[in-house]
Amino acid sequence: MSHETPLSLPLEDPKLALGGLQTSSNSSNTQREKDGEERSGSVGHGDEDVGSALAHHISISDAASLASIDRPPGEEEKLPPAKVYAPYSFPVLALLMPASVFGCLARLGLEALVTFDGQSIFPLAWVQVGGCFVMGFCLRFKEPFGQFYGPLYTACTTGFCGSFTTFSSWQLSVFQAWINAGHFDRHWLHDVIAGLTQMLFTLDLSLISIQFGAHIASLVHPFIPSFPSPNKTLRYGLTALAVLIYAATYPAYFRLPESFRHKATSALLYSFPGTLTRYVLSIELNRRFHLFPVGTFSANMLGTALIATFTVLESTRGPPSPNGCNVLIGLADGYCGCLTTVSTFAVEVATLETRRAWFYVIISLVTAQLLLLVILGPSYWAGNKHHLVCCHSDILVCIPSLEPAICTIFGQLYQNFMLLKRLGFHWRE
């Protein structure tokens, strides 16, 4: 019976062996950290898909990468060069026209629908929730949009959703709640609660709607078939139709009844200029700063300052002519409403890493309220806003002093009539 000789291995240096174990352990830990980062961590590259980041709850540390939200699909989505459109190409800008009109019209219509006596929630909440849900849904389909027709993506997100939601009107409502502009019979603490309710609940509902829209899109994404790209004739026809839709807002303003002007048609005239201003600021500024999206911030602050200015101008001594009121309302609801956006703001907050997101939220809300305080506050506290004329009604009325004014006018007429009667003037039968 033969005995096998055991295989002898050369002994290693214990220090080397221990170092190898440590190296292996460190490499495995590093790999686990990388895997965890890929699943739910922070990403600092600019090539990440924002829609995928929303769906997988991945935060982005570099705010410059969020500039892709407004840009049409491009090389990041691995599109062939023939399907890539420059941000300022005419098809992209043309499709922003009807998207702005429809977004503004949807906002005004939904706000009018949910405004009634005894309403359980402030009307703008419905607007922000609807626009943010559509925004989150469309972001997940950026690559399919690019494979089909890239300008449609920008029209749906920047055009429709950006015009559907509004940052300036939201901040104006919060400010008016804080100062009790409606002169409700309530304590100052209730004013604070009313303002905080509109601010915090709108922000929370918007962020939830963005995430919910992205989640629904990720569920239906595998079942959406791919469609062939439109040919040149269809593309040219769609561009021409887009321009004609916006051009139709001009005859609609003059041909439709005058009562429609302050309700919708005046705002539709200024919808596309507001969207275009926001789009340019986003494209030019968001990619230049890494701390937070300066382009979106600039658009929201500019629109908030302008809507405060227009609100003051609506209440001038005179009173403003009907045409002047229509212009001011159109600029406030149309230009400022489309210049500012909550949908893009909510996407940026939802995808930025926590510290930068908090900084972005705080600086946006505080700056907006300070602008309203400086521009609009003196008009209220000096007493001018109480007695001046407001344009937001079917007819020009004073807020809230219509009855005293009418009583004063008719009282003076009655005194003059009695004086003439005492002097011997009589009406002939």
Side-chain angles (χ1 to χ4, degrees), residues 259-342:
S259 60
F260 287 2
R261 292 181 180 179
H262 72 272
K263 295 179 180 178
T265 56
S266 181
L268 299 182
L269 287 176
Y270 303 101
S271 59
F272 173 64
T275 302
L276 183 61
T277 305
R278 169 168 47 86
Y279 180 66
V280 172
L281 289 173
S282 174
I283 295 298
E284 295 299 326
L285 297 181
N286 278 349
R287 58 189 175 88
R288 300 179 185 273
F289 297 88
H290 303 278
L291 181 59
F292 66 96
V294 176
T296 306
F297 174 80
S298 301
N300 284 340
M301 296 309 107
L302 176 60
T304 303
L306 288 177
I307 199 171
T309 304
F310 298 147
T311 303
V312 173
L313 292 177
E314 287 174 10
S315 302
T316 56
R317 300 187 184 275
S321 65
N323 288 333
C325 280
N326 292 331
V327 171
L328 290 173
I329 293 175
L331 289 171
D333 292 338
Y335 185 79
C336 296
C338 295
L339 170 61
T340 62
T341 177
V342 170

Side-chain angles (χ1 to χ4, degrees), residues 34-358:
K34 289 183 179 180
D35 294 340
E37 185 181 79
E38 290 177 358
R39 288 192 298 269
S40 59
S42 175
V43 179
H45 304 291
D47 297 334
E48 295 297 325
D49 181 11
V50 178
S52 298
L54 277 174
H56 296 91
H57 305 285
I58 299 175
S59 61
I60 297 176
S61 60
D62 186 5
S65 62
L66 297 177
S68 62
I69 295 174
D70 289 323
R71 285 202 307 263
E75 296 177 355
E76 296 84 358
E77 286 71 34
K78 300 179 182 179
L79 298 179
K83 294 185 177 182
V84 176
Y85 289 84
Y88 296 124
S89 60
F90 186 72
V92 173
L93 298 181
L95 288 188
L96 286 178
M97 296 181 182
S100 304
V101 171
F102 294 139
C104 181
L105 191 61
R107 166 164 46 86
L108 297 176
L110 180 58
E111 192 173 359
L113 179 65
V114 298
T115 302
F116 50 86
D117 292 336
Q119 60 195 23
S120 58
I121 191 172
F122 40 95
L124 277 178
W126 289 97
V127 172
Q128 317 293 25
V129 166
C132 289
F133 174 82
V134 177
M135 184 73 167
F137 188 89
C138 291
L139 283 173
R140 191 67 180 87
F141 285 91
K142 185 173 184 178
E143 190 271 337
F145 268 119
Q147 294 291 347
F148 178 67
Y149 188 47
L152 283 177
Y153 165 82
T154 309
C156 292
T157 54
T158 305
F160 180 80
C161 297
S163 302
F164 191 8
T165 60
T166 172
F167 185 91
S168 57
S169 298
W170 169 36
Q171 292 302 302
L172 179 61
S173 297
V174 172
F175 181 79
Q176 290 175 336
W178 270 337
I179 66 173
N180 194 10
H183 301 281
F184 300 107
D185 184 15
R186 65 191 186 195
H187 194 263
W188 67 268
L189 182 59
H190 296 158
D191 297 339
V192 176
I193 294 175
L196 288 176
T197 299
Q198 292 199 35
M199 178 175 288
L200 298 180
F201 275 78
T202 300
L203 180 61
D204 291 341
L205 290 173
S206 301
L207 293 175
I208 293 172
S209 300
I210 285 287
Q211 297 283 1
F212 185 56
H215 176 69
I216 295 298
S218 64
L219 293 179
V220 303
H221 186 274
F223 304 99
I224 301 298
S226 58
F227 299 96
S229 300
N231 56 36
K232 183 182 294 186
T233 303
L234 290 177
R235 296 197 302 269
Y236 287 173
L238 186 61
T239 302
L241 179 62
V243 175
L244 290 176
I245 290 175
Y246 178 65
T249 60
Y250 287 87
Y253 178 83
F254 294 103
R255 296 292 184 181
L256 292 178
E258 189 173 350
S259 60
F260 287 2
R261 292 181 180 179
H262 72 272
K263 295 179 180 178
T265 56
S266 181
L268 299 182
L269 287 176
Y270 303 101
S271 59
F272 173 64
T275 302
L276 183 61
T277 305
R278 169 168 47 86
Y279 180 66
V280 172
L281 289 173
S282 174
I283 295 298
E284 295 299 326
L285 297 181
N286 278 349
R287 58 189 175 88
R288 300 179 185 273
F289 297 88
H290 303 278
L291 181 59
F292 66 96
V294 176
T296 306
F297 174 80
S298 301
N300 284 340
M301 296 309 107
L302 176 60
T304 303
L306 288 177
I307 199 171
T309 304
F310 298 147
T311 303
V312 173
L313 292 177
E314 287 174 10
S315 302
T316 56
R317 300 187 184 275
S321 65
N323 288 333
C325 280
N326 292 331
V327 171
L328 290 173
I329 293 175
L331 289 171
D333 292 338
Y335 185 79
C336 296
C338 295
L339 170 61
T340 62
T341 177
V342 170
S343 57
T344 304
F345 172 74
V347 171
E348 293 164 346
V349 172
T351 51
L352 276 175
E353 65 177 6
T354 304
R355 287 178 298 178
R356 298 194 181 203
W358 274 107

